[in-house]
Each structure stands twice: as structure tokens, then as C-alpha cells.
Amino acid sequence: GAGVSQSPRYKVAKRGQDVALRCDPISGHVSLFWYQQALGQGPEFLTYFQNEAQLDKSGLPSDRFFAERPEGSVSTLKIQRTQQEDSAVYLCASSFQGSSYEQYFGPGTRLTVT
Amino acid sequence: SQELEQSPQSLIVQEGKNLTINCTSSKTLYGLYWYKQKYGEGLIFLMMLQKGGEEKSHEKITAKLDEKKQQSSLHITASQPSHAGIYLCGADVRASNYQLIWGAGTKLIIKP
């Protein structure tokens, strides 16, 4: 496809369940970002990949959060033992270069933990 | 982020009227990015500003980065229902070579 895609678009999980969120970036884009967006707030940085290398994971809120991009393309954000405070929209963005310039965002995955 | 303040938080404007949204940084802006987000959707890139005094326009939306490079304004002329949504500014303040800091967004409602 032409843009960044994410799946699922919506996910409802019971507290304690594990979830996996997928991001398909634009083909050829080197950089991939994951953000968490709470209602009424801007995106909060979670982690950054350059190709398959995870260069920064300083924004991951706890060790229950794990992200990977094994072949430098598709990325998965996994949340283990979900908690209610994990409820948010998770946005994925990619950019052509290894910089913050002009990031292209996916539609997001809205996670609701009940 | 308190480092990047957007104002107003929300705005209701009669269709056809002009409006301005501001984004103010506590640090020097090396790049300022405006995005639009509709409910349930991702962010759509609108414009990027890098130089003090720079002004860019796309259709009826104009964005400007002030000379001192710590504030940007987004101006919409003759607003239309299609302009409704949340406008977010993201800033490169050289925290790293890839991280942007983000404002909380301005929610724009257009009254018909």
C-alpha cells in the first residue's frame, strides 16, 4: 500500500492479557517510530528503529512493553499483562531518512483494557 | 509536553471565518511540523518550517515560524467543514536527531 498501515485498528483486552500490535511502514522507509497517544494529548514517544536496529527505547513505560523490527520492515509492539493505564491509541510512523523529518503516520490502534 | 504549548485548546468557528492556532516552545525551534488528526485516524502531515520568518501555504492554510524561532502560528482563511479536526504541532528542539516533542493539540470545530 501507499501509506503506513496498522492492525488491528481496535483491540479490547482484558486486564492481564498480552497483546501484539502490528505496523507496516512505507516500503523503503528507514526509520520507524512508535508513539502512545492518550485522549486529548499529543503523541508520546515510545521507541525508534533505524532499519532493524532499535536505537532508542527510552519511552517504553515499563518492561511489559517490547518492540521489534526483525527484518527492518514490519514492526510489532507487544504489551504483556496489560493494565488499564495501557489504554490509549498506539501510533506508528515511518520516515525515509534516519531523522525526524516528515514522519508518515498510520491510522493507529486503539487499545482498550477492561 | 509542557515544553510545547498549543493555544487555544479548542476552538469553535463559524464556517467561513478565519482562525489562528499557536504553538509556543520554551526552547529554540530547529524545525516545526504541523499535523492534522481526525478522530480515530492517524496524523496527516501538513507543513514543515525550519527557518525563522519562514511562511508556507497550502490551499487555505498558512503556517509561519517567527523570527526568534520559538513560536509558530497556523492560520486558516475562510474555514470549511473539512478543516475540522485536531491540529498538532511537533518540534525539533535538538533533543536528539530523530525525536520530536509534541503539543497537546487544538481541537477545531466548524459550525455550519
Side-chain angles (χ1 to χ4, degrees):
Chain A
V4 178
S5 61
Q6 291 186 246
S7 60
R9 290 292 312 277
Y10 304 92
K11 177 70 179 178
V12 178
K14 290 186 178 178
R15 192 170 59 180
Q17 279 186 330
D18 298 348
V19 298
L21 312 180
R22 177 187 168 108
C23 173
D24 281 84
I26 293 172
S27 178
H29 276 198
V30 168
S31 298
L32 186 145
F33 305 81
W34 282 100
Y35 294 92
Q36 181 188 60
Q37 186 179 27
L39 190 65
Q41 298 296 319
E44 291 284 341
F45 172 82
L46 293 178
T47 187
Y48 164 63
F49 289 86
Q50 193 167 66
N51 296 308
E52 69 278 3
Q54 188 176 23
L55 299 187
D56 188 344
K57 54 181 181 179
S58 62
L60 296 177
S62 77
D63 58 8
R64 296 185 295 103
F65 287 71
F66 172 77
E68 60 182 4
R69 194 187 185 196
E71 297 178 0
S73 178
V74 171
S75 177
T76 304
L77 176 68
K78 297 179 180 178
I79 308 173
Q80 297 177 322
R81 305 181 303 281
T82 52
Q83 303 294 316
Q84 281 192 318
E85 61 262 28
D86 300 336
S87 296
V89 175
Y90 290 86
L91 295 166
C92 174
S94 69
S95 67
F96 182 67
Q97 295 176 330
S99 73
S100 63
Y101 299 156
E102 207 167 330
Q103 295 179 25
Y104 293 85
F105 282 79
T109 295
R110 181 175 296 277
L111 173 65
T112 304
V113 181
T114 61
Chain B
S1 167
Q2 290 182 339
E3 293 177 303
L4 201 62
E5 296 281 345
Q6 278 189 246
S7 62
Q9 287 186 330
S10 63
L11 194 54
I12 302 174
V13 172
Q14 191 75 41
E15 183 178 351
K17 297 294 186 183
N18 303 337
L19 63 108
T20 299
I21 297 168
N22 293 302
C23 178
T24 303
S25 172
S26 59
K27 299 181 178 180
T28 297
L29 298 170
Y30 293 91
L32 192 289
Y33 306 81
W34 283 101
Y35 286 83
K36 181 184 175 184
Q37 185 176 32
K38 290 200 167 181
Y39 183 79
E41 298 181 13
L43 281 64
I44 299 168
F45 174 79
L46 295 175
M47 279 174 276
M48 175 182 77
L49 304 164
Q50 287 186 289
K51 300 175 184 176
E54 185 175 12
E55 184 172 311
K56 287 187 177 178
S57 293
H58 176 68
E59 297 179 344
K60 294 185 178 180
I61 301 176
T62 301
K64 185 174 181 180
L65 184 61
D66 82 353
E67 292 288 343
K68 295 182 181 179
K69 295 179 68 177
Q70 287 198 252
Q71 186 178 55
S72 177
S73 59
L74 185 86
H75 185 76
I76 299 177
T77 304
S79 58
Q80 299 170 350
S82 60
H83 289 130
I86 299 170
Y87 290 82
L88 287 147
C89 59
D92 173 6
V93 296
R94 294 296 149 91
S96 73
N97 65 349
Y98 52 84
Q99 263 201 55
L100 298 179
I101 60 171
W102 293 88
T106 295
K107 184 177 181 180
L108 174 62
I109 297 170
I110 306 295
K111 281 174 38 180

